[in-house]
């Protein structure tokens, strides 16, 4: 008998690629799911799931959807590099609406954060979950903001959060960077399952990467406390993908890859860290 949450679980961004992975996985486990997205849900719904089309910018709509839910899996909003004006509505106002709903329902939030919240860390570094945010785009900045919103709601209102800093969650790794950053759909789904079922999570961070030998970048997160370990790996594709690099020095220097080099306008490479030679 698998464990199921006592209360229904709200999933935002249900119609996206990762949303659908969760609908299949959690629906298959018999979880009661309240699904929402601004786009229609393109697949058949599992038993025990209901879908409502809604905009994250509609705060009252989010409160209604969250009624009676014990957890909110927040995957909705802009999920790639976008201009500031496209990010602010769904990702800034939207995450506020999610946290207000969580506060009212005393629900836990599992927030789909991203490696792009720390994208300007160098690939030669090994960073813990308490590292500095170094966002590489307005999108990455919105993920850092969402995590900080979660901290505010934890200290002020006792709302628990798991911030999942997703690496590259795709069906297969396709380049050298993903030999480190790849997160299989299966590892992702199990990580979210544990984030909901773990008895208490406080305000936790998980690095979202599979068991990849090249994943030396990220360490010291809450996986042990939450009972999650990745089991898949990109390693089988090392020979095939090790040479698949962009040739762009900025893209290859930083963890965030192409998100760092997009619209990059420095004339000279940045010194390491925030203050270069004076870094502490
Ligand atoms: C992300 O956060 C994006 O949602 C996804 O499209 C990829 O770009 C991924 O990061 C990545 O860094 O590979």
């Amino acid at each position: 008998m698998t464990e199921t949450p006592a209360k229904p679980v709200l999933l935002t961004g249900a119609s996206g690629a990762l949303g659908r992975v969760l609908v299949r996985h959690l629906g298959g486990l018999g979880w009661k799911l309240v699904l929402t997205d601004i786009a229609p849900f393109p697949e058949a719904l599992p038993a025990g799931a209901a879908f409502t089309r809604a905009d994250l910018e509609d705060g009252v709509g989010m409160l209604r959807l969250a009624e009676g839910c014990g957890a909110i899996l927040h995957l909705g909003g802009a999920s790639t590099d976008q201009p500031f004006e496209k990010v602010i509505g769904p990702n800034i106002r939207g995450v506020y609406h999610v946290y207000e709903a969580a506060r009212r329902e005393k629900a836990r939030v599992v927030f789909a954060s991203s490696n792009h919240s720390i994208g300007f860390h160098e690939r030669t570094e090994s960073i813990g979950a308490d590292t500095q945010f170094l966002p590489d785009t307005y999108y990455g900045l919105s993920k850092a903001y969402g995590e900080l919103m979660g901290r505010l709601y934890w200290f002020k209102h006792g709302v628990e959060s798991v911030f999942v800093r997703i690496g590259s969650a795709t069906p297969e790794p396709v380049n050298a960077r993903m030999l480190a950053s790849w997160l299989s759909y299966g590892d992702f789904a199990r990580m979210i399952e544990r984030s909901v079922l773990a008895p208490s999570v406080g305000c936790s961070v998980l690095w979202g990467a599979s068991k990849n030998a090249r994943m030396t970048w990220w360490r010291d997160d809450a996986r042990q406390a939450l009972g999650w370990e990745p089991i898949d790996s990109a390693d089988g594709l090392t020979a095939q993908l090790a040479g698949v690099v962009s040739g762009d020095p900025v893209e290859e220097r930083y963890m965030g890859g192409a998100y760092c080099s997009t619209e990059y306008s420095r004339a000279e490479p940045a010194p390491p860290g925030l203050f270069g030679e004076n870094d502490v």
Side-chain angles (χ1 to χ4, degrees):
M1 215 11 217
T2 56
E3 199 184 340
T4 52
K7 290 181 174 185
V9 170
L10 171 61
L11 169 63
T12 72
S15 304
L18 294 186
R20 282 178 281 140
V21 166
L22 292 185
V23 174
R24 280 180 232 125
H25 180 80
L26 303 175
L29 294 174
W31 290 23
K32 259 192 146 339
L33 298 173
V34 179
L35 309 175
T36 185
D37 201 298
I38 200 161
F41 191 73
E43 294 177 8
L45 289 174
F51 177 80
T52 305
R53 226 170 142 178
D55 189 339
L56 286 167
E57 291 207 59
D58 172 9
V60 174
M62 286 303 133
L63 290 178
R64 285 207 186 105
L65 281 166
E67 264 170 33
C69 289
I72 305 178
L73 313 181
H74 183 39
L75 272 62
S79 61
T80 53
D81 182 15
Q82 305 266 348
F84 180 74
E85 291 299 338
K86 292 230 187 270
V87 170
I88 190 164
N91 290 29
I92 303 297
R93 242 178 252 118
V95 80
Y96 161 66
H97 293 150
V98 163
Y99 271 96
E100 269 301 288
R103 180 173 71 87
R104 209 174 70 161
E105 298 299 324
K106 303 194 185 323
R108 178 180 298 178
V109 177
V110 180
F111 176 53
S113 184
S114 168
N115 74 89
H116 297 292
S117 64
I118 55 85
F120 268 117
H121 281 280
E122 304 205 27
R123 294 186 192 182
T124 49
E125 291 177 70
S126 167
I127 55 178
D130 60 353
T131 194
Q132 302 198 66
F133 288 118
L134 295 182
D136 54 26
T137 43
Y138 298 120
Y139 160 69
L141 181 60
S142 76
K143 294 299 184 182
Y145 178 86
E147 290 196 28
L148 290 171
M149 179 76 83
R151 287 176 193 187
L152 167 64
Y153 274 71
W154 167 242
F155 281 100
K156 194 158 261 191
H157 305 299
V159 173
E160 288 194 307
S161 286
V162 181
F163 309 120
V164 179
R165 292 189 189 143
I166 301 171
S168 305
T170 53
E172 295 290 332
V174 296
N175 57 34
R177 173 174 172 268
M178 288 195 200
L179 290 172
S181 65
W182 186 63
L183 174 66
S184 75
Y185 281 174
D187 282 339
F188 170 69
R190 288 182 288 272
M191 156 191 253
I192 302 297
E193 183 189 334
R194 284 309 311 158
S195 297
V196 175
L197 293 178
S200 78
V201 299
C203 212
S204 299
V205 173
L206 287 177
W207 292 114
S210 283
K211 207 172 160 194
N212 310 320
R214 289 196 178 194
M215 179 33 75
T216 52
W217 308 349
W218 304 332
R219 59 175 164 78
D220 297 340
D221 65 5
R223 65 190 57 200
Q224 212 181 345
L226 270 62
W228 174 76
E229 262 309 317
I231 55 179
D232 296 324
S233 174
D235 296 358
L237 291 168
T238 304
Q240 205 174 313
L241 298 178
V244 183
V245 290
S246 64
D248 180 314
V250 174
E251 180 173 338
E252 298 303 330
R253 175 177 173 185
Y254 297 112
M255 294 177 184
Y259 281 45
C260 298
S261 53
T262 304
E263 294 181 11
Y264 188 85
S265 72
R266 285 184 75 95
E268 296 295 329
L274 281 177
F275 307 109
E277 298 292 299
N278 302 322
D279 228 27
V280 282

